[in-house]
Amino acid sequence: MEGDDETSGPMIDEIYANGDDNRPRKPIYSGDQLDIEVYASLYTGRTKIMRLLFVADRCGEKNNTAMQLEALRMAFDEIKKGENTQLFREVVQKIDGRLGSGYDLDVAWAENVDRRAEAKKEKLENELNAYRTNLIKESIRMGYNDFGDFYYAHGQLGDAFKSYVRTRDYCTTSKHIIHMCMSAILVSIEMGQFTHVTSYVSKAEQAPESLDTITVAKLRCAAGLANLEAKKYKLAARKFLETGPELGSHYNEVIAPQDVATYGGLCALATFDRTELKNKVIDNLNFRNFLELVPEVRELINDFYSSHYASCLEYLGNLKANLLLDIHLHDHVMTLYDQIRHKALIQYTHPFVSVDLNMMANAFKTTVAGLEKELEALITDNQIQARIDSHNKILYARHADQRNATFQRVLETGREFDRDVRSMLLRSNILKHEYNVRASRKL
Amino acid sequence: MEPLQALITQIQGLSSSASDISRLHSILKQADSSLRSDPDRLSPLLSNLDPSLHSLGFLFILEASLVFPVSKQQAEISVPIITRFISACSAEQIRLAPDKFISVCKTLKDQVTLLEAPIRGVAPMLTALRKLQVSTERLTPLHSEFLLLCLLAKCYKTGLSILEDDIFEVDQPRDLFLYCYYGGMICIGQKHFPKALDLLHNVVTAPMSTLNAIAVEAYKKYILVSLIRHGQFSTSLPKYSSSVAQRNLKNFCQPYIELANSYGTGKIAELEEYVQANTNKFESDNNLGLVKQVVSSMYKRNIQRLTQTYLTLSLQDIANTVQLNSPKGAEMHVLQMIQDGEIYATINQKDGMVRFLEDPEQYKTCEMIEHIDSSIQRVMALSRKLATMDEQISCDHLYLSKAGRERQRYDFDDFDVPTRFNI
């Protein structure tokens, strides 16, 4: 085990103590219900609404009506501030009169908004046409950009994306290009088109002028999200870890700094080895700023690194309910959790020649039989080199006999070579024969 | 009667020296059509000839006298004649007219099959094969006939004897397909699965311009055998196999591919259910027995997997994990596998525990060294062969003219050469 020289001495004792909770430590944050007010206040714009609706849907599935209605109520209020009547109708339908008369379908408002939107669209069209006849590049760009903003505000994401992308031909400075990229990224994330996100991130990063730190941080986040969605957890972790603290709350329309900590932390835990975890996460000053925002994640990473698996897993268990309510992470929670658990099991067994399964089960707060099954899967996957003595409930590390393995491999390779060459000779002879036959037929 | 009598005299006179025999050969070729016109009168003439001395003449007359279809009685008479001829004839003479000889041997096969006594053809066919064969590396059309007879007569062991030869030279691709297919079946019968796999692999990956039924049937067996042998099957064929095979084989073997998928999940109940549901399909392909072996191999594979993960495990747990009914059943399986050398383990009947051991082979014994040495020798011989083959092909006129043509198009260096030097 590398990078933990300082813990190697007292480690045995700690592992003994691992299962018992008599160590003085802070009470673990309970998995209290998500405080929706606090949660929603982290975000702005469309993502706030979408996140609230997602929470509402999830709660609806679990029959958590109080929370669902709370989320819907806030979404309703939020939408009322904007101009997205389509979404407004959907939410009203979801509320279904359960929040009293204040939350019914406000037809007058919706029509009013629609009418204004129509008028604005016409105005924008006229303007754009005028710009286009005059061929003023900058104005055309602004015109398309306005169109993009307009469509975005009204929830027509596809059109918004097209309009933003169209500004590209009229970009004159790299600042414009970056603006275009950022808008495209924002819309793509909302649409869930993460391949677009990746391509526009790389486009923005190629800009000739150096970007300001906030933009860099935003791009890192967007790339991280794209990798997360593509299940490339390691890359996602790297991107989130590279995110600078300048991000602050500047990217609230997409991601909150708390999310950076959670996403990055979990992905890193699931995919990094110990040295990487130490160097890139725990000793990473930038990322520490983010971790401070979510103490649970910070604690569980430290627990994991210092081999307090039980409390680490407990933290994870408590966080789980809330993570499942996250619009981006919910699909990946189970995979990440499994990977983290597997890593914990592997790391636990790694330094030992033999491990008492009872003790290990205790450390992981599980039963011996369950642990045996988990270990069996890992051994079959060749992730742990060990064998289980099921009779005495002991796990023995298995040291591959290099000499025997080499002999085996050599003989196997010899056989393969023998077989392959023979069938190759045979095939070439047939080919030769067929070619000759064909050639003689031609003559 | 007169011309025939003259022919017989000529045969008797011209059967001693090599030059005489070649003269006789041309005379016989001319007489061939007239012989055929009257097959009934020929058989009595054979008594005038000695099969060992006048092999060539005997062969021509015998071949002409054999017409098909024959009745069982006729077959009863002609089979001994052919058998005697095959065992007595001289190899040099019959090699002058291989087509005739092959035709005679095929008739023999047809007749013994008609008599429902394929075993009577096995030994003569082997003799015939050896006499016709110029070298053991050459495939003759008789190979597949012989293997077919072995299969029909269930003389798998005899069949194995010719499968041990490495075949490199082939005249007719069809012969090779059949040889490998029947050979594969014989090896399956003898449970030599690696060898069977090699042979079937040859069929499936052989160059072919159109798909043939032999390849399809071979592919089905190939799937099953590789499940038994390796416990897995990948549907993608190697790059060197023909594009026809790569594209089409799968479509003809859907039930088998699904079987392999079901096997891959490792769930015995699912596999059995699938087999149950598709019994008819497998039965109509005559592969049901092999499919059953696939199912039972799954138990073994699951037990083998346990040896990788466990040092000790109770019989009850084994039974649970591999879904056997009782610890007793698990014990029987484990016992059988220990006996067959498939796993290394000891059973402790007192506690009902099985202790899995490591492979005791230490690669230190003389036998092992000898084995390794012989493998090395073999591989070296093969390498030499490969080098000679490579040399031969690079000197081959046809190859060079084709490769030369292609090179002109692609190789820019060639453009520097003055045109008159172009091949």
Side-chain angles (χ1 to χ4, degrees):
Chain A
M1 271 210 184
E2 53 284 275
D4 61 338
D5 302 344
E6 72 277 19
T7 52
S8 57
M11 192 157 189
I12 306 292
D13 297 332
E14 287 198 19
I15 278 168
Y16 269 106
N18 209 350
D20 328 319
D21 258 353
N22 50 13
R23 276 182 308 136
R25 50 166 44 255
K26 277 189 286 177
I28 284 174
Y29 282 80
S30 65
D32 277 347
Q33 267 193 0
L34 190 67
D35 186 342
I36 301 185
E37 288 251 26
V38 178
Y39 177 71
S41 68
L42 294 174
Y43 306 96
T44 55
R46 193 183 147 87
T47 194
K48 181 170 179 176
I49 303 168
M50 295 320 285
R51 279 172 190 263
L52 283 169
L53 288 179
F54 184 80
V55 171
D57 283 352
R58 275 292 162 127
C59 294
E61 284 167 23
K62 288 186 191 141
N63 289 326
N64 189 346
T65 332
M67 200 156 155
Q68 185 192 11
L69 288 178
E70 176 70 9
L72 285 174
R73 189 179 59 76
M74 294 182 64
F76 183 93
D77 291 343
E78 193 62 32
I79 294 171
K80 259 294 190 58
K81 291 181 204 158
E83 301 177 315
N84 194 343
T85 50
Q86 173 74 24
L87 210 52
F88 178 70
R89 292 198 177 89
E90 277 174 29
V91 170
V92 169
Q93 205 177 1
K94 276 184 188 151
I95 293 174
D96 202 15
R98 283 178 292 178
L99 284 171
S101 56
Y103 293 92
D104 280 340
L105 185 58
D106 188 346
V107 183
W109 177 82
E111 278 175 0
N112 196 12
V113 169
D114 279 347
R115 215 173 312 118
R116 258 186 291 141
E118 206 57 42
K120 187 168 182 204
K121 191 175 172 190
E122 215 159 281
K123 188 178 139 243
L124 285 172
E125 254 163 26
N126 287 336
E127 279 178 14
L128 185 61
N129 280 336
Y131 296 145
R132 291 226 302 219
T133 39
N134 293 333
L135 281 176
I136 311 167
K137 263 192 152 184
E138 176 58 16
S139 302
I140 300 176
R141 189 184 74 82
M142 294 295 286
Y144 275 124
N145 205 32
D146 289 346
F147 248 109
D149 292 345
F150 169 78
Y151 283 132
Y152 181 67
H154 289 267
Q156 289 155 292
L157 296 176
D159 291 329
F161 183 72
K162 267 184 223 152
S163 303
Y164 284 132
V165 171
R166 222 169 266 164
T167 63
R168 188 175 175 201
D169 299 339
Y170 307 98
C171 290
T172 41
T173 67
S174 58
K175 216 174 212 140
H176 292 161
I177 293 185
I178 289 162
H179 185 259
M180 181 273 295
C181 287
M182 294 313 288
S183 309
I185 291 169
L186 177 64
V187 182
S188 311
I189 291 177
E190 290 292 326
M191 286 196 294
Q193 299 278 358
F194 285 92
T195 40
H196 287 318
V197 177
T198 324
S199 63
Y200 282 100
V201 166
S202 61
K203 217 167 267 170
E205 277 170 348
Q206 278 161 12
E209 274 175 41
S210 60
L211 306 165
D212 62 280
T213 44
I214 296 177
T215 316
V216 174
K218 283 181 178 180
L219 287 175
R220 292 279 186 279
C221 289
L225 277 180
N227 283 322
L228 178 69
E229 292 293 337
K231 297 195 165 58
K232 294 173 188 156
Y233 300 122
K234 192 157 193 171
L235 291 174
R238 293 232 170 97
K239 291 291 176 195
F240 285 123
L241 292 175
E242 285 168 10
T243 308
E246 299 83 2
L247 183 76
S249 48
H250 291 289
Y251 211 26
N252 279 352
E253 65 267 34
V254 172
I255 195 169
Q258 281 84 345
D259 291 339
V260 175
T262 322
Y263 297 173
L266 289 183
C267 288
L269 216 49
T271 52
F272 284 4
D273 59 34
R274 278 182 71 85
T275 22
E276 246 181 329
L277 199 65
K278 176 85 178 149
N279 296 338
K280 292 194 177 151
V281 184
I282 297 174
D283 292 349
N284 184 338
L285 286 175
N286 279 344
F287 197 65
R288 193 173 285 170
N289 293 323
F290 287 109
L291 280 179
E292 292 303 326
L293 296 170
V294 196
E296 295 95 325
V297 175
R298 184 196 60 202
E299 284 302 311
L300 77 88
I301 290 177
N302 285 331
D303 277 341
F304 186 87
Y305 187 72
S306 50
S307 308
H308 299 308
Y309 300 113
S311 85
C312 168
L313 292 172
E314 203 173 328
Y315 273 120
L316 282 174
N318 288 332
L319 280 174
K320 190 170 170 186
N322 288 350
L323 292 181
L324 281 172
L325 293 176
D326 187 281
I327 195 165
H328 293 301
L329 203 59
H330 67 104
D331 268 345
H332 308 284
V333 171
M334 288 320 291
T335 331
L336 289 174
Y337 269 40
D338 282 348
Q339 284 188 18
I340 293 173
R341 193 178 170 86
H342 288 166
K343 281 193 78 112
L345 287 169
I346 294 168
Q347 279 193 13
Y348 187 97
T349 56
H350 191 77
F352 298 111
V353 172
S354 62
V355 182
D356 187 331
L357 289 185
N358 290 312
M359 213 123 77
M360 187 165 170
N362 207 6
F364 280 88
K365 295 259 161 57
T366 173
T367 61
V368 173
L371 183 68
E372 231 178 87
K373 285 279 164 255
E374 281 181 83
L375 287 173
E376 190 193 318
L378 286 172
I379 296 172
T380 317
D381 256 13
N382 212 10
Q383 299 204 52
I384 297 182
Q385 278 73 40
R387 285 165 79 182
I388 304 168
D389 185 341
S390 173
H391 190 49
N392 303 316
K393 302 296 174 202
I394 293 176
L395 182 78
Y396 287 103
R398 181 186 202 181
H399 294 290
D401 186 331
Q402 295 287 350
R403 183 173 175 276
N404 283 2
T406 311
F407 267 105
Q408 254 168 18
R409 219 171 44 239
V410 166
L411 285 173
E412 185 56 37
T413 315
R415 263 194 298 275
E416 265 170 34
F417 177 81
D418 187 37
R419 195 189 60 212
D420 290 349
V421 168
R422 268 188 295 130
S423 62
M424 189 171 74
L425 286 173
L426 192 61
R427 280 198 308 277
S428 66
N429 262 322
I430 300 177
L431 280 179
K432 190 172 143 195
H433 170 83
E434 267 177 14
Y435 185 73
N436 286 348
V437 169
R438 225 178 302 146
S440 65
R441 222 180 281 148
K442 258 185 230 160
L443 294 173
Chain B
M1 207 61 198
E2 202 47 43
L4 276 178
Q5 208 55 57
L7 189 65
I8 295 290
T9 330
Q10 268 176 324
I11 292 173
Q12 283 163 340
L14 290 172
S15 283
S16 43
S17 74
S19 60
D20 282 353
I21 286 176
S22 68
R23 240 180 80 203
L24 176 66
H25 191 197
S26 53
I27 294 171
L28 284 168
K29 268 195 233 165
Q30 281 163 10
D32 195 36
S33 54
S34 66
L35 283 175
R36 265 172 210 291
S37 62
D38 206 359
D40 291 338
R41 287 196 316 187
L42 294 175
S43 354
L45 293 177
L46 288 174
S47 53
N48 297 337
L49 296 173
D50 181 340
S52 60
L53 291 178
H54 316 121
S55 302
L56 191 62
F58 200 101
L59 176 62
F60 268 76
I61 294 175
L62 179 65
E63 202 263 340
S65 75
L66 295 169
V67 281
F68 207 75
V70 287
S71 65
K72 277 196 175 185
Q73 287 86 353
Q74 281 169 306
E76 281 292 359
I77 302 167
S78 56
V79 165
I81 301 177
I82 303 176
T83 315
R84 223 175 307 125
F85 169 68
I86 287 176
S87 64
C89 68
S90 101
E92 291 84 46
Q93 289 194 27
I94 55 128
R95 279 185 203 158
L96 289 173
D99 298 345
K100 299 273 172 202
F101 188 65
I102 290 164
S103 148
V104 168
C105 292
K106 285 193 173 162
T107 318
L108 173 69
K109 184 207 78 181
D110 291 337
Q111 292 188 349
V112 292
T113 335
L114 180 77
L115 293 175
E116 288 164 9
I119 198 158
R120 286 171 67 181
V122 173
M125 197 63 96
L126 182 59
T127 324
L129 191 159
R130 291 286 180 218
K131 283 193 174 168
L132 187 65
Q133 206 173 28
V134 189
S135 86
T136 52
E137 294 183 356
R138 189 172 223 19
L139 187 75
T140 67
L142 295 184
H143 275 84
S144 57
E145 308 288 343
F146 169 63
L147 291 177
L148 178 60
L149 282 179
C150 288
L151 275 175
L152 291 173
K154 301 205 184 334
C155 303
Y156 299 146
K157 279 218 172 98
T158 332
L160 278 182
S161 66
I162 69 155
L163 289 172
E164 275 158 18
D165 300 336
D166 291 332
I167 295 291
F168 291 118
E169 289 163 52
V170 182
D171 287 333
Q172 274 298 322
R174 183 171 172 277
D175 292 335
L176 177 80
F177 281 115
L178 282 177
Y179 164 77
C180 290
Y181 178 62
Y182 291 143
M185 284 168 74
I186 283 180
C187 290
I188 293 171
Q190 285 294 86
K191 295 211 192 293
H192 289 318
F193 291 121
K195 177 87 184 165
L197 212 52
D198 287 356
L199 286 166
L200 294 172
H201 182 87
N202 282 345
V203 182
V204 177
T205 59
M208 52 181 127
S209 46
T210 48
L211 202 62
N212 58 59
I214 306 171
V216 173
E217 290 306 313
Y219 191 61
K220 290 176 183 169
K221 291 197 163 58
Y222 180 65
I223 296 175
L224 296 177
V225 176
S226 67
L227 285 179
I228 294 174
R229 172 80 187 140
H230 298 303
Q232 57 187 25
F233 179 75
S234 117
T235 47
S236 59
L237 288 169
K239 272 206 300 284
Y240 47 74
S241 41
S242 62
S243 55
V244 188
Q246 287 188 9
R247 240 177 292 133
N248 300 324
L249 273 181
K250 265 173 261 170
N251 305 337
F252 287 93
C253 309
Q254 216 50 51
Y256 295 84
I257 305 267
E258 277 163 32
L259 180 81
N261 292 341
S262 163
Y263 193 100
T265 61
K267 292 183 186 114
I268 201 108
E270 251 173 56
L271 184 72
E272 269 173 350
E273 199 176 309
Y274 181 77
V275 171
Q276 205 63 44
N278 292 282
T279 311
N280 290 337
K281 286 182 198 154
F282 296 129
E283 203 161 20
S284 65
D285 284 340
N286 285 328
N287 281 335
L288 191 59
L290 208 50
V291 170
K292 282 184 179 152
Q293 288 190 47
V294 169
V295 175
S296 72
S297 82
M298 190 150 178
Y299 287 108
K300 288 188 181 171
R301 192 140 323 266
N302 284 342
I303 292 179
Q304 256 169 352
R305 198 170 296 146
L306 290 178
T307 66
Q308 300 299 312
T309 36
Y310 287 97
L311 266 177
T312 60
L313 196 61
S314 69
L315 285 167
Q316 183 62 53
D317 281 345
I318 293 180
N320 290 345
T321 330
V322 299
Q323 294 164 30
L324 283 165
N325 298 328
S326 63
K328 196 76 201 153
E331 191 177 342
M332 289 325 291
H333 262 89
V334 172
L335 196 63
Q336 187 61 46
M337 287 178 74
I338 297 175
Q339 213 161 40
D340 296 345
E342 285 163 325
I343 55 169
Y344 307 96
T346 49
I347 301 176
N348 180 351
Q349 282 190 323
K350 198 179 94 208
D351 304 336
M353 288 303 253
V354 179
R355 186 170 186 83
F356 297 120
L357 310 168
E358 296 274 352
D359 182 357
E361 178 62 65
Q362 290 293 312
Y363 299 96
K364 284 176 186 161
T365 57
C366 286
E367 291 79 35
M368 187 42 81
I369 303 292
E370 258 166 43
H371 173 67
I372 292 174
D373 190 53
S374 71
S375 299
I376 294 175
Q377 294 298 339
R378 201 178 143 77
V379 168
M380 278 163 65
L382 260 178
S383 284
R384 273 197 298 277
K385 197 165 177 62
L386 194 63
T388 359
M389 180 96 175
D390 184 44
E391 235 163 68
Q392 260 172 19
I393 289 184
S394 50
C395 300
D396 190 287
H397 172 69
L398 281 169
Y399 169 76
L400 279 179
S401 63
K402 188 173 164 62
R405 267 205 303 280
E406 271 167 15
R407 233 173 85 198
Q408 250 179 29
R409 255 181 282 147
Y410 302 120
D411 202 342
F412 284 102
D413 291 350
D414 277 2
F415 290 116
D416 298 334
V417 183
T419 36
R420 65 201 153 95
F421 287 128
N422 271 355
I423 311 158

